[in-house]
Amino acid sequence: MAEAKLAAICRATINGRYVDTPLTIPVINPATGEAFAEAPDCEASHLDDAVSAARQAFPAWKRVDPASRDAMLLAVSARLRGEIEPLAHLLTQEQGKPLEEARHEIETAARWFEAYANHPLPVGQRREPDGRLAEIRHVPIGVVGAIAPWNFPVQLMAWKLAPALKAGNTVVAKPSPFTPLTTLRIGELLLDILPPGVLNTISGRDHLGPLMSEHPDIDKISFTGSTATGKAVMRGAAGNLKRLTLELGGNDPAIVLPDADVQSVAERLFWGAFRNAGQVCIAAKRIYVHDDIYDRFAARMAGLAGAHPPLPGNMPGARIGPVQNRVQFERVKAMIEEARATGLHFLSEPGEMAGPGNFIAPTLIDNPPDDSRVVREEPFGPLVPLLRYSHVDEAIHRANDSEYGLASSVWSADVEQAAEVGRQLEAGTVWLNTIHGMTPTLPFSGHKQSGIGVENATEGLLEYTNVQVLVRHG
Ligand code: NAD
């Protein structure tokens, strides 16, 4: 906790107004290790103000006619598109990702608002056997607390804000203390588009999340983050039986069948694993490759790793940036050290790069045992194991042997064969000869301990509603 020394470049926004806090948190550029800005360190009283503003704004917002609400969502989308350059630079500074990916992230957020503006909330009718007519409505829940992580701070927050607002809820949004600025800036940019209190944006240390989960006047928490924190959110939310959407950790398997094209699939999977420096919930985190092609595949992956050192995100040509924060950097380094200490073989030169930033070269481990930490846990950084298999049933069994079930991918010259394998995987999304490329029209959800509920598409929109059945006689 630091006294405000540097000018806070982004402020909290509560009830349509800027809010300055007496205390601030430093925001560190992961490419330099230096604090370059301060963000508000909101206390419980700021949260109470934000929740009460959202509560007061709710009755009017839910009655706004759908066409006007959609027009506001389209205006949000247009505002984000108009601000891509400054927002992307800010995002790269605080998050570390290459500028081109930061631009893409802002554009993706804009796309989600646009998609939900154009996506009708379903209304159903059913005639019962006794002749009564039922209208099935999806009504807003009330005040939504939206909590996002630091890997895709803007995109993952937009996945919550767009459907929550579309459905007629009001929102208190809280970004990660590691990456608060771009979200706060977006809150500022939307002040003249959304009515006061409809979207309130606050930041603060990790004490704010539990306060939100337990807040008696928040009706739903939509949370993206680690499985451990998701469980804490679920416990905290029990007090007033909050509705929950939890998008949590993943340890996604990729299965490469023996007939796959080694050169192209290795390249797709290299980026599927190391994009955003491996800090992607749906990154390929365990790559199972058939014995017949393993050596050629491993050599191609290692070549790509050597050709793509991590660079500051604002440097031309950067494809892989630094690890976002020091805690995560130390965690990934410790996993690399443990792998080295236990005698595992590295396919690419591991380790930390020189300089003050959190740079770790893309690191590939050669066929570690299934019970090693790098296979069991989600490294959430540029560290990936390649695993040999000799029979596809064995690969499916090993892929499913995880507490996680977020996504997965299968690669083959024969897509039907890949689909056959894919249907046996325990995951919310299975990609066949492709990976990532999220769209607002496909539901995204985690099986097992990767989450509860759905984001995106109609299914995700309905998570921000309660069902109401109007039954009429005759
Ligand atoms: P995290 O769980 O540490 O933090 C996520 C958010 O929760 C932050 O805003 C944090 O301030 C807040 N928080 C911390 N403690 C809290 C508490 N007790 N109650 C409520 N909120 C609290 O996660 P992270 O390190 O920011 O993100 C990395 C994790 O997120 C990885 O496990 C990754 O797989 C997961 N993730 C999942 C998805 C998905 O869609 N399934 C997407 C991205 C990231």
Side-chain angles (χ1 to χ4, degrees):
M1 215 178 351
E3 297 289 331
K5 291 188 211 105
L6 307 172
I9 58 170
C10 301
R11 285 181 282 176
T13 46
I14 297 176
N15 205 17
R17 285 192 289 275
Y18 296 110
V19 173
D20 287 315
T21 56
L23 297 174
T24 56
I25 43 175
V27 184
I28 292 166
N29 180 337
T32 64
E34 282 168 16
F36 70 98
E38 300 278 324
D41 186 7
C42 290
E43 290 297 338
S45 60
H46 298 108
L47 173 62
D48 287 342
D49 291 348
V51 173
S52 120
R55 175 64 58 204
Q56 277 171 35
F58 177 57
W61 180 246
K62 76 174 172 184
R63 279 193 206 96
V64 168
D65 72 281
S68 308
R69 224 166 26 221
D70 291 347
M72 282 187 251
L73 293 190
L74 288 174
V76 169
S77 176
R79 180 67 53 85
L80 293 176
R81 285 217 165 90
E83 297 284 332
I84 283 181
E85 274 312 297
L87 288 172
H89 278 87
L90 186 57
L91 182 57
T92 288
Q93 236 182 333
E94 67 173 340
Q95 205 284 334
K97 66 182 60 194
L99 195 50
E100 198 46 43
E101 289 193 25
R103 289 189 184 105
H104 183 255
E105 181 165 346
I106 308 297
E107 206 282 325
T108 301
R111 193 149 54 93
W112 250 252
F113 280 98
E114 187 179 39
Y116 273 113
N118 294 320
H119 192 107
L121 199 58
V123 181
Q125 268 199 350
R126 278 183 217 164
R127 178 73 69 183
E128 288 301 283
D130 63 8
R132 291 183 301 166
L133 186 66
E135 181 184 326
I136 295 150
R137 307 178 67 224
H138 297 280
V139 299
I141 296 170
V143 176
V144 171
I147 304 178
W150 46 257
N151 60 338
F152 288 87
V154 175
Q155 175 175 331
L156 296 176
M157 186 59 91
W159 284 17
K160 303 178 184 314
L161 302 186
L165 297 173
K166 164 76 183 196
N169 303 280
T170 55
V171 180
V172 176
K174 188 203 84 65
S176 164
F178 290 117
T179 53
L181 298 175
T182 319
T183 305
L184 292 167
R185 180 73 189 124
I186 288 172
E188 295 176 347
L189 287 169
L190 304 187
L191 279 178
D192 66 344
I193 296 178
L194 298 169
V198 166
L199 172 63
N200 307 274
T201 311
I202 59 174
S203 65
R205 286 165 295 118
D206 268 343
H207 70 306
L208 266 189
L211 289 173
M212 288 174 75
S213 307
E214 289 162 18
H215 202 290
D217 220 17
I218 292 181
D219 304 298
K220 174 184 171 99
I221 294 282
S222 181
F223 170 86
T224 301
S226 64
T227 295
T229 310
K231 290 177 186 177
V233 170
M234 200 168 183
R235 282 191 292 272
N240 64 339
L241 281 182
K242 286 183 183 64
R243 275 65 183 144
L244 285 176
T245 301
L246 302 175
E247 291 291 355
L248 307 178
N251 195 3
D252 292 3
I255 298 180
V256 186
L257 298 179
D259 64 354
D261 180 76
V262 169
Q263 297 298 306
S264 64
V265 173
E267 183 162 5
R268 293 294 303 276
L269 274 174
F270 178 81
W271 291 113
F274 291 107
R275 180 177 157 238
N276 209 35
Q279 304 160 117
V280 184
C281 56
I282 47 175
K285 294 187 181 124
R286 296 174 287 149
I287 303 179
Y288 295 91
V289 184
H290 193 273
D291 221 11
D292 290 354
I293 55 169
Y294 183 92
D295 292 333
R296 283 189 296 131
F297 193 94
R300 171 78 169 143
M301 288 282 269
L304 289 164
H308 293 286
L311 294 170
N314 60 5
M315 191 177 271
R319 299 281 309 270
I320 297 175
V323 172
Q324 198 281 323
N325 60 73
R326 209 65 193 174
V327 181
Q328 192 60 23
F329 177 72
E330 296 298 344
R331 185 181 135 82
V332 176
K333 262 189 0 177
M335 284 176 91
I336 291 174
E337 283 318 311
E338 190 177 316
R340 201 196 306 273
T342 49
L344 298 184
H345 179 242
F346 290 85
L347 287 165
S348 60
E349 199 44 48
E352 186 181 345
M353 312 283 285
N358 303 337
F359 294 104
I360 296 178
T363 304
L364 286 159
I365 298 193
D366 182 16
N367 201 28
D370 282 356
D371 62 355
S372 57
R373 197 169 157 213
V374 72
V375 178
R376 302 303 313 167
E377 290 183 26
E378 172 191 36
F380 215 61
L383 172 61
V384 177
L386 288 196
L387 300 138
R388 267 181 204 273
Y389 75 89
S390 46
H391 194 278
V392 70
D393 290 340
E394 167 214 336
I396 294 167
H397 174 77
R398 290 163 70 192
N400 285 338
D401 181 20
S402 168
E403 68 197 26
Y404 296 110
L406 196 55
S408 57
S409 60
V410 188
W411 304 80
S412 168
D414 174 358
V415 75
E416 283 312 320
Q417 200 192 337
E420 198 49 48
V421 173
R423 288 188 194 99
Q424 298 175 66
L425 295 178
E426 297 165 356
T429 301
V430 183
W431 288 290
L432 309 173
N433 292 339
T434 181
I435 188 164
H436 304 158
M438 308 300 287
T439 70
T441 41
L442 289 177
F444 175 65
S445 70
H447 294 189
K448 302 196 253 184
Q449 294 193 37
S450 286
I452 287 183
V454 186
E455 287 200 300
N456 306 335
T458 305
E459 292 86 344
L461 178 58
L462 295 183
E463 295 248 330
Y464 292 92
T465 65
N466 282 320
V467 172
Q468 184 185 57
V469 183
L470 240 69
V471 188
R472 67 184 71 193
H473 180 70

